[in-house]
């Protein structure tokens, strides 16, 4: 099959003829309908995160189940699925506590080693083993994934739209509804109105937030955020975002989401908080980045800093629910998709994301 292979940051990603082995016990094969190009793929491509290479890229996608490994009873051939880049093992203490986004086996085996649960890969290129990316590797015609990472969704939802639920939407909306548990009437600031930030905005709207302040250096992005439910916008290209925020909300906000993940935006999120406020880090920085805050202020103001990994989702519960909300008109997905390209144009899609100005490009095999 055709798949997009990453070797190292100096080498342009290439479409190669990769061998995909049959699913083993507990795994399924999925024919990919669409795969989203995410900033995490860009971090890998730029060498900002350590990633097992060579690998088949991609961690967001949708498709149809075509083959079941031994013992799989939760899925059937023909099921429509959205892929989850946390395939919960179901056995570790975090999975047993219901905190599946923290799955220990995913964090220690699947993600860092670029393999499936048994420690091996189903991917090869001329006999050379190729790693999986986050147990998904969706920039390909087909994938073999753990059954727990293929989340069955309703058949009438368009696969070439709902692919984005698997990362961007789950991460953004989940950060609001699960990690922060924003209450009705809350005030919310969102720094960064790209793919994840717009989902934080629409998550805040779903949660019933009273004020949602969208912040970005690109005015087109904050304009878009208004369509997703933001009540106010701040152009941070001209003047300090924190100063402008306090002009709008003199007491500071209840929740500030950093959907960028740069040192400056993380520090701004903390500075925007009012009494009892929580800063939520959703956007991911390069490895080793540091941010600072004043502990005395945090303690006296009874504030919190929260990290949010994959929107703290429980994939099998939250992903179908998010798809339902899209189908019911409560969530916008179509405006998040800037364009669709064939798999052969993966390198160009990554270039587009790097250049800015695109939200999500879907690769269609
Ligand atoms: Zn992603
Ligand atoms: Zn687990």
């Amino acid at each position: 099959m055709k798949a997009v292979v990453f070797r190292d940051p100096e080498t342009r990603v290439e479409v190669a003829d990769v061998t995909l082995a049959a699913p083993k016990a507990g795994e399924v094969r999925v024919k990919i309908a669409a795969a989203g190009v995410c900033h995490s793929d860009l971090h890998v491509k730029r060498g900002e995160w350590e990633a097992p290479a060579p690998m088949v890229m991609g961690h967001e996608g949708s498709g149809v189940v075509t083959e079941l490994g031994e013992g799989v009873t939760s899925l059937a051939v023909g099921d429509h699925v959205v892929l989850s880049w946390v395939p919960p093992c179901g056995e570790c203490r975090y999975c047993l506590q219901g905190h599946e986004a923290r799955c220990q086996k995913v964090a220690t085996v699947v993600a860092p080693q670029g393999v499936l649960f048994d420690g091996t890969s189903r991917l090869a290129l001329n006999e050379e083993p190729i790693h999986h990316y986050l147990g998904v590797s969706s920039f390909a015609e087909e994938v073999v994934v753990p059954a727990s990472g293929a989340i069955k969704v309703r058949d009438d939802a368009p696969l070439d739209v709902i692919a984005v639920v698997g990362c961007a939407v789950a991460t953004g909306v989940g950060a609001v509804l699960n990690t922060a548990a924003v209450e009705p009437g809350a005030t919310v600031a969102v720094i960064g109105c790209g793919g994840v930030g717009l989902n934080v905005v629409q998550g805040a709207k779903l949660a019933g937030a009273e004020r949602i302040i969208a912040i970005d250096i690109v005015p087109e992005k904050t304009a878009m955020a208004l369509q997703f439910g933001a009540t106010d916008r701040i152009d941070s290209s001209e003047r300090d975002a924190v100063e402008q925020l306090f002009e709008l909300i003199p007491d500071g906000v209840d929740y500030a989401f950093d959907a960028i993940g740069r040192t400056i935006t993380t520090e701004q999120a903390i500075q925007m908080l009012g009494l009892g406020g929580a800063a939520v880090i959703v956007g991911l920085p390069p490895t080793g980045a540091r941010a600072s805050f004043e502990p005395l202020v945090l303690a006296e103001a009874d504030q919190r800093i929260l990290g949010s990994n994959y929107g703290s989702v429980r994939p099998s519960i939250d992903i179908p629910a998010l798809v339902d909300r899209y189908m019911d008109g409560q969530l916008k997905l179509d405006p998040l998709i800037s364009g669709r390209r064939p798999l052969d144009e993966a390198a160009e899609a990554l270039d587009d994301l790097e250049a800015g100005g695109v939200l999500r490009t879907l690769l269609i095999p």
Side-chain angles (χ1 to χ4, degrees):
M1 66 163 185
K2 270 192 201 174
V4 178
V5 176
F6 164 84
R7 289 193 174 274
D8 57 69
E10 280 72 46
T11 313
R12 201 163 163 80
V13 302
E14 56 157 2
V15 177
D17 202 358
V18 169
T19 312
L20 181 67
K24 291 190 183 178
E27 299 170 357
V28 295
R29 185 195 296 266
V30 175
K31 186 174 189 294
I32 295 294
V37 182
C38 171
H39 264 99
S40 297
D41 300 302
L42 203 53
H43 279 299
V44 167
K45 196 211 90 169
R46 287 174 177 160
E48 291 171 348
W49 290 352
E50 216 169 289
M55 65 144 81
V56 171
M57 302 186 82
H59 61 282
E60 188 181 90
S62 60
V64 178
V65 175
T66 55
E67 189 183 347
L68 304 176
E70 194 194 316
V72 176
T73 54
S74 56
L75 291 164
V77 169
D79 278 352
H80 287 204
V81 294
V82 167
L83 301 175
S84 162
W85 56 259
V86 171
C89 76
E91 293 168 356
C92 72
R93 64 185 289 252
Y94 300 103
C95 282
L96 292 173
Q97 289 169 347
H99 299 300
E100 295 182 339
R102 298 177 197 161
C103 177
Q104 205 161 25
K105 201 156 180 193
V106 169
T108 56
V109 178
V110 175
Q113 297 177 32
V115 292
L116 301 187
F117 282 132
D118 73 346
T120 65
S121 168
R122 304 293 159 268
L123 297 159
L125 178 56
N126 303 326
E127 324 260 295
E128 174 195 19
I130 301 279
H131 292 96
H132 296 257
Y133 185 44
L134 299 178
V136 179
S137 290
S138 55
F139 293 0
E141 291 177 315
E142 293 181 292
V143 296
V144 167
V145 296
S148 64
I151 312 301
K152 182 175 159 55
V153 296
R154 56 200 278 177
D155 287 349
D156 59 342
L159 288 170
D160 66 345
V161 174
I162 60 168
V164 297
V165 171
C167 184
V169 180
T171 299
V173 177
V176 178
L177 301 184
N178 300 332
T179 312
V182 169
E183 311 86 356
T187 53
V188 175
V190 183
I191 306 174
C193 298
V196 169
L198 288 173
N199 281 299
V200 172
V201 169
Q202 62 178 342
K205 188 185 173 197
L206 281 178
E210 185 182 293
R211 296 284 289 276
I212 304 169
I213 297 102
I215 304 163
D216 204 290
I217 55 172
V218 181
E220 290 78 22
K221 289 191 177 176
T222 50
M224 188 122 166
L226 295 178
Q227 294 174 35
F228 278 73
T231 56
D232 305 81
R233 57 198 280 217
I234 286 175
D235 177 354
S236 54
S237 67
E238 298 163 357
R239 212 153 50 80
D240 181 50
V242 178
E243 199 180 298
Q244 296 188 66
L245 186 280
F246 278 93
E247 286 167 15
L248 282 173
I249 315 257
D251 293 337
V253 291
D254 299 323
Y255 297 92
F257 291 83
D258 174 11
I260 302 279
R262 293 179 56 191
T263 299
I264 181 165
T265 52
T266 299
E267 291 174 351
Q268 284 172 339
I270 298 165
Q271 289 161 12
M272 285 174 183
L273 299 177
L275 293 174
V280 188
I281 299 162
V282 187
L284 300 177
T287 305
R290 304 255 161 185
S292 64
F293 65 94
E294 196 178 334
L296 179 64
V297 172
L298 197 86
E300 287 185 338
D302 205 16
Q303 294 165 337
R304 295 172 294 151
I305 302 172
L306 309 173
S308 179
N309 182 44
Y310 202 10
S312 312
V313 294
R314 297 149 301 165
S316 61
I317 295 170
D318 292 333
I319 288 177
L322 289 167
V323 170
D324 284 345
R325 287 190 153 176
Y326 164 67
M327 297 300 282
D328 294 346
Q330 296 176 53
L331 274 180
K332 289 182 199 296
L333 302 186
D334 300 83
L336 295 170
I337 299 163
S338 321
R340 294 176 178 82
R341 284 177 176 272
L343 200 56
D344 293 324
E345 294 176 13
E348 288 78 6
L350 284 161
D351 291 345
D352 288 349
L353 189 61
E354 195 156 26
V358 300
L359 288 169
R360 264 297 190 273
T361 302
L362 291 182
L363 298 174
I364 310 289

